[in-house]
Short mmCIF file of all heavy atoms in Angstrom, two decimals:
data_model
loop_
_atom_site.label_atom_id
_atom_site.label_comp_id
_atom_site.label_asym_id
_atom_site.label_seq_id
_atom_site.Cartn_x
_atom_site.Cartn_y
_atom_site.Cartn_z
N GLY A 151 -5.22 -20.57 -4.76
CA GLY A 151 -6.10 -20.99 -3.69
C GLY A 151 -5.85 -20.26 -2.40
O GLY A 151 -5.04 -19.34 -2.28
N ARG A 152 -6.58 -20.71 -1.34
CA ARG A 152 -6.45 -20.10 0.00
C ARG A 152 -6.60 -21.21 1.03
O ARG A 152 -7.70 -21.72 1.21
CB ARG A 152 -7.49 -19.01 0.25
CG ARG A 152 -7.11 -17.71 -0.48
CD ARG A 152 -8.32 -16.80 -0.63
NE ARG A 152 -8.99 -16.47 0.60
CZ ARG A 152 -8.59 -15.51 1.43
NH1 ARG A 152 -7.50 -14.80 1.18
NH2 ARG A 152 -9.31 -15.25 2.52
N ILE A 153 -5.48 -21.60 1.67
CA ILE A 153 -5.52 -22.63 2.71
C ILE A 153 -5.05 -22.03 4.02
O ILE A 153 -3.89 -21.63 4.16
CB ILE A 153 -4.60 -23.80 2.30
CG1 ILE A 153 -4.97 -24.39 0.96
CG2 ILE A 153 -4.60 -24.90 3.40
CD1 ILE A 153 -3.98 -25.35 0.39
N ALA A 154 -6.01 -21.92 4.97
CA ALA A 154 -5.68 -21.30 6.24
C ALA A 154 -5.10 -22.35 7.23
O ALA A 154 -5.70 -23.43 7.40
CB ALA A 154 -6.95 -20.69 6.88
N VAL A 155 -3.94 -22.05 7.80
CA VAL A 155 -3.28 -22.95 8.71
C VAL A 155 -3.35 -22.32 10.12
O VAL A 155 -2.67 -21.36 10.43
CB VAL A 155 -1.81 -23.18 8.33
CG1 VAL A 155 -1.19 -24.24 9.27
CG2 VAL A 155 -1.73 -23.66 6.90
N PHE A 156 -4.21 -22.89 10.97
CA PHE A 156 -4.34 -22.40 12.37
C PHE A 156 -3.53 -23.25 13.32
O PHE A 156 -3.67 -24.45 13.34
CB PHE A 156 -5.82 -22.38 12.81
CG PHE A 156 -6.02 -21.87 14.21
CD1 PHE A 156 -5.98 -20.50 14.46
CD2 PHE A 156 -6.34 -22.73 15.23
CE1 PHE A 156 -6.11 -20.02 15.75
CE2 PHE A 156 -6.50 -22.25 16.54
CZ PHE A 156 -6.41 -20.89 16.77
N GLY A 157 -2.64 -22.63 14.07
CA GLY A 157 -1.80 -23.39 14.97
C GLY A 157 -1.13 -22.49 16.00
O GLY A 157 -1.50 -21.32 16.17
N SER A 158 -0.14 -23.06 16.69
CA SER A 158 0.55 -22.32 17.76
C SER A 158 1.94 -21.95 17.35
O SER A 158 2.17 -21.51 16.21
CB SER A 158 0.49 -23.13 19.07
OG SER A 158 1.08 -24.39 18.91
N SER A 159 2.91 -22.12 18.22
CA SER A 159 4.28 -21.58 17.97
C SER A 159 4.95 -22.19 16.76
O SER A 159 5.63 -21.46 16.01
CB SER A 159 5.16 -21.78 19.23
OG SER A 159 5.18 -23.13 19.62
N PHE A 160 4.83 -23.50 16.57
CA PHE A 160 5.48 -24.08 15.39
C PHE A 160 4.91 -23.50 14.10
O PHE A 160 5.63 -23.34 13.11
CB PHE A 160 5.39 -25.61 15.41
CG PHE A 160 6.33 -26.25 16.40
CD1 PHE A 160 5.82 -26.90 17.51
CD2 PHE A 160 7.67 -26.23 16.18
CE1 PHE A 160 6.71 -27.52 18.42
CE2 PHE A 160 8.54 -26.83 17.08
CZ PHE A 160 8.05 -27.49 18.19
N THR A 161 3.60 -23.25 14.10
CA THR A 161 3.00 -22.67 12.91
C THR A 161 3.41 -21.19 12.75
O THR A 161 3.80 -20.80 11.62
CB THR A 161 1.48 -22.78 13.01
OG1 THR A 161 1.11 -24.19 13.07
CG2 THR A 161 0.80 -22.17 11.78
N GLN A 162 3.33 -20.41 13.78
CA GLN A 162 3.68 -19.01 13.63
C GLN A 162 5.17 -18.89 13.22
O GLN A 162 5.51 -17.93 12.48
CB GLN A 162 3.42 -18.23 14.93
CG GLN A 162 3.71 -16.72 14.75
CD GLN A 162 3.20 -15.89 15.91
OE1 GLN A 162 2.51 -16.40 16.77
NE2 GLN A 162 3.50 -14.61 15.87
N GLY A 163 6.04 -19.75 13.75
CA GLY A 163 7.42 -19.69 13.36
C GLY A 163 8.36 -19.29 14.49
O GLY A 163 9.40 -18.73 14.21
N ALA A 164 8.01 -19.66 15.71
CA ALA A 164 8.87 -19.27 16.85
C ALA A 164 10.24 -19.88 16.77
O ALA A 164 11.21 -19.33 17.30
CB ALA A 164 8.21 -19.72 18.14
N CYS A 165 10.37 -21.02 16.09
CA CYS A 165 11.69 -21.66 15.95
C CYS A 165 12.25 -21.54 14.55
O CYS A 165 13.29 -22.16 14.22
CB CYS A 165 11.55 -23.17 16.31
SG CYS A 165 11.03 -23.43 17.99
N ALA A 166 11.64 -20.74 13.66
CA ALA A 166 12.16 -20.55 12.29
C ALA A 166 13.28 -19.55 12.32
O ALA A 166 13.20 -18.50 12.92
CB ALA A 166 11.03 -20.07 11.42
N GLU A 167 14.39 -19.92 11.61
CA GLU A 167 15.53 -19.03 11.60
C GLU A 167 15.25 -17.75 10.84
O GLU A 167 15.77 -16.69 11.17
CB GLU A 167 16.73 -19.76 10.93
CG GLU A 167 17.98 -18.92 10.94
CD GLU A 167 19.12 -19.62 10.22
OE1 GLU A 167 18.92 -20.70 9.63
OE2 GLU A 167 20.23 -19.07 10.25
N ARG A 168 14.40 -17.84 9.79
CA ARG A 168 14.05 -16.66 8.97
C ARG A 168 12.54 -16.68 8.69
O ARG A 168 11.93 -17.74 8.78
CB ARG A 168 14.79 -16.70 7.63
CG ARG A 168 16.31 -16.62 7.77
CD ARG A 168 17.02 -16.46 6.43
NE ARG A 168 17.17 -17.72 5.72
CZ ARG A 168 16.44 -18.16 4.71
NH1 ARG A 168 15.45 -17.40 4.26
NH2 ARG A 168 16.71 -19.29 4.10
N PRO A 169 11.98 -15.54 8.36
CA PRO A 169 10.52 -15.47 8.11
C PRO A 169 10.01 -16.42 7.04
O PRO A 169 8.89 -16.95 7.15
CB PRO A 169 10.27 -14.01 7.69
CG PRO A 169 11.41 -13.26 8.34
CD PRO A 169 12.58 -14.19 8.30
N ALA A 170 10.85 -16.73 6.01
CA ALA A 170 10.41 -17.60 4.93
C ALA A 170 10.51 -19.09 5.26
O ALA A 170 10.18 -19.92 4.41
CB ALA A 170 11.18 -17.26 3.69
N LEU A 171 10.98 -19.43 6.45
CA LEU A 171 11.23 -20.82 6.79
C LEU A 171 10.17 -21.44 7.69
O LEU A 171 10.38 -22.53 8.20
CB LEU A 171 12.62 -20.99 7.40
CG LEU A 171 13.77 -20.68 6.48
CD1 LEU A 171 15.13 -20.93 7.16
CD2 LEU A 171 13.69 -21.44 5.19
N THR A 172 9.04 -20.77 7.89
CA THR A 172 7.90 -21.45 8.51
C THR A 172 7.43 -22.57 7.60
O THR A 172 7.65 -22.50 6.39
CB THR A 172 6.75 -20.48 8.77
OG1 THR A 172 6.30 -19.97 7.52
CG2 THR A 172 7.22 -19.30 9.64
#
Side-chain angles (χ1 to χ4, degrees):
R152 282 161 57 81
I153 302 169
V155 185
F156 180 75
S158 57
S159 54
F160 283 113
T161 299
Q162 184 168 354
C165 298
E167 182 183 5
R168 297 187 279 104
L171 295 183
T172 62

